[in-house]
Amino acid sequence: MVKDDGALEPGGPIAAEIAWLWWVMLVIAVVVFLLFLVILARGLLRRVHSDEEPAATTRRFLVWGGVLLPMVVITLVFGVTLLVMRRIPSQAGTDALIVEVTGHQWWWDVAYPQYGIRTANEIHLPVDRQVELRLTSADVVHSFWIPALAGKLDLLPERVNTLIVEASETGVFRGVCAEFCGLQHAKMNLLAVVDSAEDHERWVERQLSPAAAPDDETAQRGLDIFLDAGCVDCHAIAGTEAAATEGPDLTHVASRLWLGAGALENTRENLSSWVEDPHDAKPGVDMPEPELSAEDLHALVAYLETLE
Ligand code: CUA
């Protein structure tokens, strides 16, 4: 079950700091607003039975309300912001898991250099361990944001930005691209799957294994179609000759929760309609229609379904 937690339902210590800052700023804003209401009410009431406008009162109001109060408020907000910035780690510990995330129009390439594995649109994290995300972009500016786990940070071409993430509860958290990056910006979502250390290890083991070899005639035909119909020009499947990196790595595509970076749930039916016409669920996506016969499409989908 995907958790739709927002920034005010933090699932880790770093997000908790940011949520705390938000609440402090809300309290300050409420106090200022109440003060404003009191002053407004006083001004309205006084006007009724007093027609004199003492210059000293006006000046005092300007100095207090226009100079001193904003200075106090801004200094306060600046101070707590600095405090939170200091409490959020800017460098990960030496045992941090490193994950390289590359934004593409409109999907996420996710690589784990310490393990040598690559996946897409899902980030798997062990609970209670710092993760150093190294963010970059293959094309335009994107922004990485998993509201329940950390603040947001831009992904820029030819530059690597580092974001530290830590989760203190297991579960699947929703993430988004938070910077308009073209037609399908809204369908550039990702999932952060937070597992216990043991479950995470198991996931890594499974990802390290190459794709399952076709175990029947239909799946074998599906693989042949994959290699002939142009899929191979963009996608990689470890253990086959497909090794392109223009599109998401499909080695374990069947184990993922979503298709098309959140465009569809990963069911057999959706996989079939996605392959048949990706532009139906995600107009403008780079993937062309493969133009297959119904039988070939069935075989291709049957093969992809085996890639657990
Ligand atoms: Cu990528 Cu918006």
Side-chain angles (χ1 to χ4, degrees):
M1 187 53 66
V2 176
K3 293 187 193 185
D4 223 353
D5 289 2
L8 299 181
E9 299 146 287
I14 295 166
E17 293 289 350
I18 297 169
W20 179 81
L21 176 61
W22 189 90
W23 285 110
V24 170
M25 285 168 72
L26 178 70
V27 169
I28 295 173
V30 167
V31 169
V32 170
F33 183 64
L34 291 178
L35 197 67
F36 161 80
L37 286 184
V38 169
I39 295 169
L40 182 69
R42 269 191 60 180
L44 287 171
L45 293 175
R46 187 184 280 176
R47 236 185 145 71
V48 176
H49 48 79
S50 159
D51 52 5
E52 58 183 310
E53 191 68 35
T57 310
T58 311
R59 201 178 313 123
R60 204 169 59 216
F61 180 71
L62 282 176
V63 170
W64 278 94
V67 181
L68 291 174
L69 180 66
M71 271 174 65
V72 169
V73 169
I74 289 168
T75 310
L76 207 60
V77 171
F78 184 58
V80 286
T81 305
L82 285 184
L83 187 73
V84 166
M85 282 171 72
R86 278 192 55 171
R87 282 198 253 161
I88 290 177
S90 58
Q91 256 183 331
T94 46
D95 70 333
L97 172 65
I98 294 168
V99 183
E100 294 169 347
V101 179
T102 307
H104 292 255
Q105 283 173 312
W106 297 275
W107 61 281
W108 308 85
D109 178 63
V110 182
Y112 298 74
Q114 291 153 317
Y115 303 138
I117 57 184
R118 172 169 243 109
T119 177
N121 302 326
E122 270 182 20
I123 295 179
H124 286 246
L125 324 171
V127 73
D128 292 328
R129 181 170 161 201
Q130 275 191 353
V131 178
E132 181 182 322
L133 296 174
R134 295 181 180 168
L135 308 172
T136 188
S137 169
D139 36 51
V140 300
V141 178
H142 305 274
S143 177
F144 182 98
W145 195 28
I146 302 174
L149 294 186
K152 62 175 90 132
L153 192 61
D154 280 359
L155 297 92
L156 307 172
E158 289 167 28
R159 203 198 134 107
V160 178
N161 285 338
T162 304
L163 181 70
I164 316 290
V165 170
E166 189 177 338
S168 53
E169 53 183 272
T170 57
V172 183
F173 295 88
R174 199 173 61 92
V176 293
C177 175
E179 174 105 20
F180 181 73
C181 55
L183 186 60
Q184 286 299 340
H185 155 72
K187 283 181 185 161
M188 184 169 169
N189 302 305
L190 79 159
L191 295 172
V193 182
V194 182
D195 283 326
S196 66
E198 304 80 59
D199 284 350
H200 183 74
E201 279 303 312
R202 267 195 287 277
W203 176 81
V204 171
E205 287 298 317
R206 210 170 59 231
Q207 298 295 310
L208 278 171
S209 61
D215 55 1
D216 62 25
E217 219 171 284
T218 314
Q220 180 58 53
R221 180 161 169 202
L223 173 58
D224 293 342
I225 292 162
F226 186 90
L227 298 175
D228 288 342
C231 315
V232 68
D233 295 336
C234 294
H235 296 285
I237 297 179
T240 73
E241 60 191 81
T245 55
E246 274 74 28
D249 186 296
L250 300 179
T251 308
H252 297 283
V253 65
S255 71
R256 295 189 203 139
L257 292 161
W258 283 348
L259 295 170
L264 294 168
E265 244 182 275
N266 193 358
T267 63
R268 191 185 185 107
E269 204 175 306
N270 284 345
L271 181 61
S272 181
S273 68
W274 172 262
V275 174
E276 191 181 5
D277 182 12
H279 296 258
D280 186 43
K282 200 167 174 176
V285 67
D286 257 350
M287 179 166 153
E289 288 170 46
E291 291 179 15
L292 299 170
S293 69
E295 215 177 325
D296 285 352
L297 178 68
H298 172 77
L300 177 57
V301 171
Y303 169 64
L304 293 174
E305 282 285 305
T306 66
L307 302 178
E308 284 282 345

